[in-house]
Amino acid sequence: MMRTRPLKVALLGCGVVGSEVARIMTTHADDLAARVGAPVELAGVAVRRPDKVREGIDPALITTDATALVKRGDLDIVVEVIGGIEPARTLITTAFEHGASVVSANKALLAQDGAALHAAAEEHGKDLYYEAAVAGAIPLIRPLRESLAGDKVNRVLGIVNGTTNFILDKMDSTGAGYQEALDEATALGYAEADPTADVEGFDAAAKAAILAGIAFHTRVRLDDVHREGMTEVTAADFASAREMGCTIKLLAICERAEDGASVTARVHPAMIPLSHPLASVRGAYNAVFVESDASGQLMFYGPGAGGSPTASAVLGDLVAVGRNRLGGTKGPGESAYAALPVSPMGEVVTRYHISLDVADKPGVLAQVATVFAEHGVSIDTVRQQGKDGEASLVVVTHRASDAALGGTVEALRKLDTVRGVASIMRVEGE
C-alpha cells in the first residue's frame, strides 16, 4: 500500500544535470511514486541565478539561499549536483544535521572528504549515495558496494572520462593531432572551455579514488592517486601502439598488490592490446573492467557523462534512498575496515614501451641493453630503425617497477649514443 504523504526532495543546483533530474521527477512522477512507495515531491531548488527561465519548474520553488533550504527540517532527501568542495561540503553536512539523507554526484568532494561525509551520515543515521559521481549512467558504485560485497576485488581498470576517450579515439581512428581532436571535442560539447580537469587526469583521479576505496575497503584520497594527463600523447605514439597490436587509452587503474598487503591507484595514458575489451570503447563512452576472485572478469559499459545519463544515476539513488526512508532503514555506509596502505607509484609494477633517439652505429644496442640489465629491468622486445647516422630504438620491457624504470631512463640519458627519450608509455591490460 502506497503512503500518501510525499517524500520531500530538495535540489541543490539546476544546471545540465539538475534540470534533467527535475524534469524526470515531474514527467515520471507516477512511476517514481510506484517504485518508491510514496509520492516524490520537489520541495525546493537552490540556484545561483534565480532569474534564469527553468522550464517545468515552479518559480515558487526557486531560492538562492541553499543553507536555509537544507535547514528546513521537513526534507527527506537532498540532491546535491552543484559540484566543487564548498559550499557543497557544508550543505551536505547541514542536510544530515537537519534530518535529510543525501544523493550526490560530487566526485571531487567525495574523493577529498568522503570519509568525513560518511562519518557525518553515520552520526545522524542517514544515507549518503553517489552512483552518479563515477561513470554517469553506468551502474558501478552499487555493484561494487553491494553486489560484490561477498567477493574479493583485485583490480579495477577503466576508462572513466568521456572527453579524453573521445580525443584519443579520434587521434587513433583519423590520425588527428591532440589539438585538432580537442578542438572537435570542444565543438561537439564533449570538452569544457577549460579542459584541464579532463585532459590532465584530475577528473579521472577523483573517480579512481572513489573506486579504489570501495573496491578494497580502504580509505583512498585524491592525494593518494598518481595522476598523469594525456596532452603529450602523439601520433607517433599511436603508430608505435599499432605496431604492437595496441591502442592508447587514459586509464584509471586500482590494484591490490599480489601479496594483498597494499593497494595502488593511478591514472595515466597506457597502451592496451586490441584484444582487451576496453580497446573497443569508442567516442565519449566509459567502461570499467573489474577483476575479482569469485566473479572473475566483469565489464560495465555505457555513457559516462551528460545530463540524462547522470540524472538517471541520481534518480536511481533517489529511489533507493526513498525506499530506505520509508522502511526506517539505511543503506551501506563506508566500508574501510581493511585499512590497507596505499603504495607510491614507484612500487607499481607494469610493462613499459620506451622510444629512444640514438646514434646509428655499432654497439648502441649493447650499451642500451646493459643499462636496462644494470637496473634490473628485463627487455621483452627491441626494434631498431635508422639511416643517415640517426636511429630510433623501441624497447618493450617485461614487468618492472616504476622506480626501476625511472632509474633506467635517467642512466640512458647520460649515454653519449642516446640523443633523447622520445616517449615512455606503460603497457596495461595483459
Side-chain angles (χ1 to χ4, degrees):
M1 180 173 157
M2 184 178 295
R3 191 182 80 168
T4 56
R5 185 173 70 80
L7 287 171
K8 293 190 175 182
V9 178
L11 184 59
L12 306 182
C14 198
V16 173
V17 176
S19 59
E20 190 66 9
V21 169
R23 184 192 68 78
I24 296 174
M25 284 182 64
T26 301
T27 58
H28 298 283
D30 291 343
D31 286 336
L32 288 173
R35 294 166 190 170
V36 173
V40 179
E41 174 189 318
L42 187 59
V45 181
V47 300
R48 287 184 298 176
R49 293 178 291 172
D51 298 332
K52 181 179 177 180
V53 176
R54 294 174 171 85
E55 186 177 347
I57 299 178
D58 183 351
L61 297 177
I62 301 296
T63 178
T64 57
D65 194 342
T67 301
L69 178 59
V70 299
K71 284 184 174 180
R72 278 177 38 163
D74 64 338
L75 298 175
D76 294 288
I77 304 170
V78 169
V79 175
E80 182 272 310
V81 288
I82 57 178
I85 306 302
E86 288 292 358
R89 174 171 47 198
T90 299
L91 291 172
I92 288 173
T93 55
T94 302
F96 290 142
E97 292 166 0
H98 288 80
S101 289
V102 172
V103 173
S104 176
N106 196 331
K107 54 187 171 288
L109 177 57
L110 288 158
Q112 178 171 307
D113 288 319
L117 294 179
H118 275 293
E122 186 68 27
E123 177 185 355
H124 297 284
K126 299 296 178 286
D127 277 326
L128 173 62
Y129 276 49
Y130 42 90
E131 185 67 64
V134 181
I138 304 172
L140 184 58
I141 299 297
R142 196 169 299 133
L144 282 174
R145 192 158 73 162
E146 300 178 31
S147 304
L148 296 176
D151 205 345
K152 179 184 177 184
V153 176
N154 296 310
R155 195 179 200 213
V156 179
L157 173 76
I159 298 164
V160 295
N161 184 277
T163 300
T164 54
N165 199 58
F166 177 89
I167 292 170
L168 291 172
D169 184 36
K170 280 295 176 183
M171 292 176 69
D172 188 20
S173 61
T174 69
Y178 166 74
Q179 189 61 51
E180 182 183 352
L182 172 60
D183 290 344
E184 183 173 353
T186 304
L188 292 172
Y190 292 131
E192 301 288 343
D194 179 0
T196 303
D198 294 323
V199 300
E200 294 296 349
F202 291 100
D203 176 85
K207 295 169 182 176
I210 295 169
L211 292 174
I214 297 170
F216 306 133
H217 305 279
T218 292
R219 287 178 178 169
V220 179
R221 289 171 50 89
L222 181 59
D223 291 344
D224 296 322
V225 181
H226 174 82
R227 175 195 56 79
E228 297 173 26
M230 43 75 70
T231 58
E232 300 301 318
V233 176
T234 66
D237 292 325
F238 275 104
S240 294
R242 282 191 289 273
E243 290 178 356
M244 288 182 59
C246 293
T247 188
I248 298 172
K249 300 291 186 182
L250 183 75
L251 298 177
I253 305 170
C254 312
E255 292 180 308
R256 189 189 299 269
E258 290 185 6
D259 62 4
S262 64
V263 298
T264 59
R266 50 197 164 101
V267 168
H268 54 70
M271 294 182 180
I272 188 167
L274 294 175
S275 58
H276 195 282
L278 290 179
S280 61
V281 178
R282 310 300 298 271
Y285 275 70
N286 284 191
V288 177
F289 202 72
V290 178
E291 301 174 8
S292 65
D293 276 1
S295 300
Q297 298 178 331
L298 306 170
M299 182 164 160
F300 301 83
Y301 169 84
S308 294
T310 307
S312 171
V314 168
L315 287 159
D317 279 350
L318 190 149
V319 169
V321 172
R323 289 171 176 168
N324 292 343
R325 192 85 173 185
L326 292 179
T329 63
K330 62 186 292 294
E334 182 188 32
S335 176
Y337 73 90
L340 296 171
V342 182
S343 297
M345 187 63 188
E347 297 179 14
V348 170
V349 176
T350 189
R351 297 179 67 205
Y352 289 87
H353 176 283
I354 306 102
S355 180
L356 304 172
D357 294 327
V358 299
D360 186 15
K361 62 182 184 179
V364 173
L365 180 55
Q367 286 184 327
V368 169
T370 298
V371 169
F372 275 88
E374 289 174 346
H375 289 81
V377 179
S378 177
I379 293 175
D380 182 16
T381 62
V382 178
R383 185 176 71 255
Q384 184 173 2
Q385 295 177 325
K387 63 178 182 178
D388 300 328
E390 298 296 330
S392 63
L393 192 64
V394 176
V395 178
V396 179
T397 74
H398 288 290
R399 289 170 61 82
S401 72
D402 192 78
L405 195 282
T408 303
V409 171
E410 184 177 349
L412 287 170
R413 294 183 192 277
K414 296 177 181 178
L415 293 178
D416 292 339
T417 51
V418 174
R419 310 298 192 211
V421 179
S423 70
I424 303 171
M425 190 164 295
R426 297 172 183 89
V427 182
E428 301 285 350
E430 294 186 319

